Amino acid sequence: MARFCARIRQAAPLTPVAMRDIYANTTVRRLAAALSAAKPAVETYAEGATEAPSRLAYALTGAAQLAFDAVAGLAGVAATQASFAFTYAAVQSPAALVGRAEIVVAAWFFGLNALAIAAKWAVIGRARPGTIKLWTPAYFRFWVARRLIGLAPAYLFVGEPLFNVFLRCLGARIGARAVIATPTVPVAADLFEVGEDAVIARRVVAPGY
């Protein structure tokens, strides 16, 4: 069945076919009708089309991305300096030094995860199926959310219940006892659903866009 789906994608690259479509449409006639009604997974811009992104939008989006990276970098440096200053303020006491180091590690871990979750809900909100045009404000918001979610250290716990909790906080619907082994975190997690006792292999790519 996987080879059959691959042959369909090879013949028609824009056809969004999956094995669940084969299960749902058990005859060739029904499958052809379902695939014909499905919207292509990729939209292309014809040369000279009115909806093609402009050079100005491209430049403005690039400038906004550069500004965001600069501000985020400065904030990261400031937070790192504050962490070192807080930790080494107790350098005269080994026990206090270890305690402060543990506090800093915990603050970075929970802080970055909380930042990723807050960014997803504040910048994107509840994700819905749709198309985001390149170099638009919506595209920039999605890019910012993906950038901040990528900083979350929760991916270190892939395959563990803690990673499932993180995905649920992003809006994903994860069934009981499911094992998510892929380290990629879906940005539009509201559209990511895994059933009970399911296992998502490490090689699966689930970027959520």
Side-chain angles (χ1 to χ4, degrees):
M1 188 179 295
R3 289 196 296 268
F4 176 69
C5 292
R7 290 289 299 273
I8 293 178
R9 297 191 194 99
Q10 185 178 7
L14 298 184
T15 302
V17 61
M19 284 193 287
R20 64 176 178 271
D21 299 318
I22 313 299
Y23 283 115
N25 304 279
T26 54
T27 67
V28 175
R29 186 185 301 274
R30 288 174 55 187
L31 179 62
L35 296 182
S36 297
K39 185 178 180 181
V42 178
E43 291 189 1
T44 58
Y45 292 106
E47 185 176 355
T50 56
E51 58 182 17
S54 66
R55 292 184 179 180
L56 177 61
Y58 177 80
L60 291 177
T61 302
Q65 291 173 326
L66 181 61
F68 174 84
D69 280 342
V71 172
L74 291 174
V77 170
T80 302
Q81 290 178 336
S83 299
F84 279 113
F86 173 78
T87 302
Y88 286 103
V91 70
Q92 301 300 329
S93 172
L97 184 65
V98 172
R100 291 197 175 202
E102 292 178 349
I103 292 174
V104 168
V105 171
W108 274 101
F109 178 80
F110 290 106
L112 287 176
N113 286 325
L115 176 63
I117 295 169
K120 187 271 175 184
W121 290 107
V123 178
I124 296 180
R126 184 164 297 280
R128 295 177 175 82
T131 302
I132 298 177
K133 294 182 180 180
L134 286 174
W135 323 131
T136 60
Y139 171 86
F140 176 70
R141 292 197 304 272
F142 191 91
W143 178 87
V144 169
R146 185 181 64 177
R147 202 77 158 176
L148 294 176
I149 290 174
L151 296 176
Y155 75 90
L156 297 174
F157 293 86
V158 293
E160 305 295 335
L162 183 61
F163 189 59
N164 292 2
V165 172
F166 176 69
L167 293 178
R168 290 190 183 103
C169 290
L170 290 176
R173 293 180 292 277
I174 310 297
R177 300 173 302 279
V179 178
I180 314 298
T182 173
T184 58
V185 180
V187 180
D190 312 88
L191 309 180
F192 186 71
E193 183 175 359
V194 178
E196 295 183 357
D197 301 308
V199 177
I200 305 300
R202 185 172 183 82
R203 293 185 178 181
V204 173
V205 178
Y209 57 90

